[in-house]
Amino acid sequence: MRIVIQRVSRASVTIENKLRSSIKAGFLILLGICEEDSSEDIDWLVHKIIGLRVFDDDQHVMNRCIMDVDGEILVVSQFTLFASYKKGNRPSWFRAASHETSVPLYEEFCSKLSQALGKPVETGEFGADMKVELLNDGPVTICMDTKNKE
């Protein structure tokens, strides 16, 4: 699994000109899933996300986690995180998981993240054409890949 986490002041997803979901301060997470991913990858990511200390403390040092600031999370599926760009200029997506693999893992990821956060996690709509808006705070953007834990 690959994720891109952006610390945001706000973020939203619109589908067919209708607001699907929105959050205030917290994380916008773009989630890419490949065929080899499993529940173990989800557990590792959830632990890392919940403990990630990228919010300012009273001394303006990134020392607080999302739980400390009562932040919100919006998760958007993003198969393009597994783009292969080695040949030519048109990316291919052969490394991205199939719909049958991705949907259950996406739902499990959102469920476990919500449990760890102690409140609902907002989502986009898997496979939809989404318009994602965000105000990156910092900017702070961090990439994680469960196949590169070291």
Side-chain angles (χ1 to χ4, degrees), residues 13-16 20 31 33 75-80 97-100 102-104 106-107 123-132:
V13 172
T14 302
I15 302 169
E16 296 181 3
R20 160 68 186 225
L31 172 66
I33 300 169
V75 179
V76 176
S77 60
Q78 186 80 42
F79 76 93
T80 60
S98 67
H99 194 81
E100 293 76 25
S102 296
V103 172
Y106 174 79
E107 291 172 353
T123 64
E125 182 179 317
F126 195 92
D129 181 13
M130 297 175 273
K131 307 303 179 206
V132 180

Coordinates of all heavy atoms in Angstrom, one line a residue, residues 13-16 20 31 33 75-80 97-100 102-104 106-107 123-132:
V13 N -14.4 16.4 -1.0 CA -14.5 15.6 -2.3 C -15.9 15.9 -2.8 O -16.9 15.8 -2.1 CB -14.4 14.1 -2.0 CG1 -14.8 13.3 -3.2 CG2 -13.0 13.7 -1.5
T14 N -15.9 16.3 -4.1 CA -17.2 16.5 -4.8 C -17.3 15.5 -6.0 O -16.3 15.3 -6.7 CB -17.2 18.0 -5.4 OG1 -17.0 18.9 -4.3 CG2 -18.5 18.3 -6.1
I15 N -18.4 14.9 -6.1 CA -18.7 14.0 -7.2 C -20.0 14.5 -8.0 O -21.0 14.6 -7.3 CB -18.9 12.6 -6.7 CG1 -17.7 12.1 -5.9 CG2 -19.2 11.6 -7.8 CD1 -17.9 10.8 -5.1
E16 N -19.8 14.6 -9.3 CA -20.9 15.1 -10.1 C -21.5 16.4 -9.5 O -22.8 16.5 -9.4 CB -21.9 14.0 -10.3 CG -21.4 12.8 -11.1 CD -22.4 11.7 -11.3 OE1 -23.6 11.9 -10.9 OE2 -22.0 10.7 -11.9
R20 N -19.5 15.3 -1.5 CA -19.6 14.0 -1.0 C -19.2 14.0 0.5 O -19.9 13.4 1.3 CB -18.7 13.0 -1.8 CG -18.3 11.8 -1.2 CD -19.4 10.8 -1.0 NE -19.0 9.6 -0.2 CZ -19.3 8.4 -0.5 NH1 -20.0 8.1 -1.5 NH2 -18.8 7.4 0.3
L31 N -4.9 6.9 -1.0 CA -4.5 5.5 -0.7 C -4.5 4.7 -2.0 O -5.5 4.7 -2.8 CB -5.6 4.9 0.2 CG -5.5 3.4 0.4 CD1 -4.3 3.0 1.2 CD2 -6.8 2.9 1.2
I33 N -3.6 0.9 -3.6 CA -3.5 -0.5 -3.2 C -3.0 -1.4 -4.3 O -3.4 -1.2 -5.5 CB -4.9 -1.0 -2.8 CG1 -5.4 -0.2 -1.6 CG2 -4.9 -2.5 -2.4 CD1 -6.9 -0.4 -1.3
V75 N -10.2 10.1 3.5 CA -9.4 9.1 2.7 C -10.0 9.0 1.3 O -11.2 8.8 1.1 CB -9.5 7.7 3.3 CG1 -8.8 6.6 2.5 CG2 -9.0 7.7 4.8
V76 N -9.1 9.1 0.3 CA -9.5 9.0 -1.1 C -8.7 7.9 -1.8 O -7.5 7.9 -1.7 CB -9.3 10.4 -1.8 CG1 -9.6 10.3 -3.3 CG2 -10.1 11.5 -1.1
S77 N -9.4 7.0 -2.5 CA -8.7 6.0 -3.2 C -8.0 6.6 -4.4 O -8.5 7.5 -5.0 CB -9.7 4.9 -3.7 OG -10.7 5.5 -4.6
Q78 N -6.8 6.0 -4.7 CA -5.9 6.7 -5.7 C -5.0 5.6 -6.3 O -3.9 5.5 -6.0 CB -5.0 7.7 -4.9 CG -4.2 8.6 -5.8 CD -5.0 9.7 -6.5 OE1 -5.8 10.3 -5.8 NE2 -4.7 9.9 -7.7
F79 N -5.6 4.9 -7.3 CA -4.9 3.8 -7.9 C -3.6 4.4 -8.7 O -2.7 3.6 -8.9 CB -5.8 3.0 -8.8 CG -6.1 3.6 -10.2 CD1 -5.3 3.4 -11.3 CD2 -7.2 4.5 -10.2 CE1 -5.6 4.0 -12.5 CE2 -7.5 5.1 -11.4 CZ -6.7 4.9 -12.6
T80 N -3.6 5.6 -9.0 CA -2.5 6.2 -9.8 C -1.2 6.3 -9.0 O -0.2 6.5 -9.6 CB -2.9 7.6 -10.4 OG1 -3.2 8.5 -9.3 CG2 -4.1 7.5 -11.3
A97 N -4.0 -2.8 -7.7 CA -4.8 -4.0 -7.5 C -6.2 -3.9 -8.3 O -6.6 -2.8 -8.6 CB -5.1 -4.1 -6.0
S98 N -6.7 -5.0 -8.6 CA -8.0 -5.1 -9.2 C -9.1 -4.5 -8.3 O -8.9 -4.4 -7.1 CB -8.4 -6.5 -9.6 OG -8.6 -7.3 -8.4
H99 N -10.2 -4.2 -8.9 CA -11.4 -3.7 -8.1 C -11.8 -4.7 -7.0 O -12.0 -4.4 -5.9 CB -12.5 -3.5 -9.1 CG -13.6 -2.7 -8.5 ND1 -13.6 -1.3 -8.4 CD2 -14.8 -3.1 -8.0 CE1 -14.7 -0.9 -7.9 NE2 -15.5 -1.9 -7.6
E100 N -11.7 -6.0 -7.4 CA -12.1 -7.1 -6.4 C -11.2 -7.1 -5.2 O -11.6 -7.5 -4.1 CB -12.2 -8.4 -7.1 CG -13.2 -8.6 -8.2 CD -12.9 -7.9 -9.5 OE1 -11.7 -7.6 -9.8 OE2 -13.8 -7.5 -10.2
S102 N -9.1 -4.4 -4.3 CA -9.0 -3.1 -3.7 C -10.2 -2.7 -2.8 O -10.0 -2.1 -1.7 CB -8.9 -2.0 -4.8 OG -7.7 -2.2 -5.5
V103 N -11.4 -2.9 -3.3 CA -12.6 -2.4 -2.5 C -12.6 -3.0 -1.1 O -12.7 -2.2 -0.1 CB -13.9 -2.7 -3.2 CG1 -15.1 -2.4 -2.4 CG2 -13.9 -1.9 -4.5
P104 N -12.5 -4.3 -0.8 CA -12.5 -4.8 0.6 C -11.3 -4.2 1.4 O -11.5 -3.9 2.6 CB -12.3 -6.3 0.4 CG -12.7 -6.6 -1.0 CD -12.4 -5.4 -1.8
Y106 N -9.7 -1.3 0.9 CA -10.1 0.1 1.1 C -11.0 0.3 2.3 O -10.9 1.1 3.2 CB -10.6 0.7 -0.2 CG -11.1 2.1 -0.1 CD1 -10.2 3.2 -0.1 CD2 -12.5 2.4 0.0 CE1 -10.7 4.5 0.0 CE2 -13.0 3.7 0.1 CZ -12.1 4.8 0.1 OH -12.5 6.0 0.2
E107 N -12.1 -0.5 2.2 CA -13.1 -0.5 3.3 C -12.5 -0.9 4.6 O -12.8 -0.2 5.7 CB -14.3 -1.3 2.9 CG -15.1 -0.8 1.8 CD -16.2 -1.7 1.2 OE1 -16.3 -2.8 1.7 OE2 -16.9 -1.2 0.4
T123 N -14.8 9.8 3.5 CA -14.3 9.1 2.3 C -14.7 9.7 1.0 O -15.7 10.5 1.0 CB -14.7 7.6 2.3 OG1 -16.1 7.5 2.1 CG2 -14.2 6.9 3.5
G124 N -14.0 9.4 0.0 CA -14.5 9.7 -1.4 C -15.4 8.5 -1.8 O -16.0 7.8 -0.9
E125 N -15.5 8.2 -3.1 CA -16.3 7.1 -3.5 C -15.4 6.3 -4.4 O -14.9 6.8 -5.4 CB -17.5 7.5 -4.3 CG -18.4 6.4 -4.8 CD -19.6 6.9 -5.6 OE1 -20.2 7.9 -5.1 OE2 -19.9 6.4 -6.6
F126 N -15.1 5.0 -4.1 CA -14.2 4.2 -4.8 C -14.6 4.1 -6.2 O -15.7 3.8 -6.6 CB -14.1 2.8 -4.2 CG -13.0 2.0 -4.6 CD1 -11.8 2.0 -3.9 CD2 -13.0 1.3 -5.8 CE1 -10.7 1.3 -4.3 CE2 -11.9 0.6 -6.2 CZ -10.7 0.6 -5.5
G127 N -13.6 4.4 -7.1 CA -13.8 4.3 -8.5 C -14.5 5.5 -9.2 O -14.7 5.5 -10.4
A128 N -15.0 6.5 -8.4 CA -15.7 7.6 -9.0 C -14.7 8.6 -9.5 O -13.5 8.7 -9.1 CB -16.6 8.2 -7.9
D129 N -15.2 9.5 -10.4 CA -14.5 10.7 -10.9 C -14.7 11.7 -9.8 O -15.7 12.4 -9.7 CB -15.0 11.1 -12.2 CG -14.2 12.3 -12.8 OD1 -13.2 12.6 -12.3 OD2 -14.7 12.9 -13.8
M130 N -13.7 12.0 -9.0 CA -13.8 12.9 -7.9 C -13.0 14.1 -8.1 O -11.9 14.1 -8.7 CB -13.2 12.2 -6.6 CG -14.0 10.9 -6.2 SD -13.3 10.1 -4.8 CE -12.1 9.0 -5.6
K131 N -13.5 15.2 -7.6 CA -12.9 16.5 -7.5 C -12.5 16.7 -6.1 O -13.3 16.8 -5.2 CB -13.7 17.7 -8.0 CG -14.4 17.4 -9.4 CD -13.4 17.2 -10.4 CE -14.1 16.9 -11.8 NZ -13.3 16.1 -12.7
V132 N -11.2 16.7 -5.8 CA -10.6 16.8 -4.5 C -10.1 18.2 -4.3 O -9.2 18.6 -5.1 CB -9.5 15.7 -4.2 CG1 -9.0 15.9 -2.8 CG2 -10.1 14.4 -4.5

